[in-house]
Amino acid sequence: MSPVNMKVSAYKHGFELTDAIYVMTHPVGSELIRPTPRGEEWAFVGYPYEGSDRRMELLAEIIPPRTVEVFHFMDLTDYWRHLWTTS
């Protein structure tokens, strides 16, 4: 996994870096949001850890060659629910 940094805004809902890494490495769904001057912004939805039933959404900027900056991480909202590809 690339080096992952979480912005202060990503911590405000009480989740940790290990939860964010799990969502990004085991996504139920993901979508490119837009290109950025440094890379691309992506949305991921998934569980924060194996065996969880809590559905999460995470937004991150992927910056080549190996940096990920998470700026949003919280319980799944209707806005990103379309990415949830399983029932």
Side-chain angles (χ1 to χ4, degrees):
M1 181 70 190
S2 301
V4 178
N5 304 305
M6 282 185 41
K7 302 280 190 180
V8 173
S9 60
Y11 282 108
K12 74 179 183 179
H13 296 285
F15 301 102
E16 296 298 325
L17 180 60
T18 54
D19 302 325
I21 291 170
Y22 191 87
V23 170
M24 289 185 290
T25 57
H26 301 86
V28 172
S30 62
E31 177 179 284
L32 174 65
I33 300 170
R34 65 178 165 228
T36 68
R38 302 186 305 170
E40 297 175 332
E41 285 182 359
W42 280 81
F44 297 89
V45 297
Y47 300 104
Y49 54 88
E50 186 176 355
S52 176
D53 61 354
R54 195 168 189 177
R55 296 177 175 200
M56 308 302 301
E57 67 186 46
L58 180 149
L59 305 181
E61 184 178 17
I62 312 298
I63 306 163
R66 289 185 296 273
T67 302
V68 178
E69 290 193 353
V70 177
F71 58 88
H72 173 84
F73 187 31
M74 64 183 286
D75 289 297
L76 185 64
T77 63
D78 287 342
Y79 192 85
W80 297 107
R81 195 167 312 275
H82 69 278
L83 297 179
W84 202 272
T85 57
T86 64
S87 52

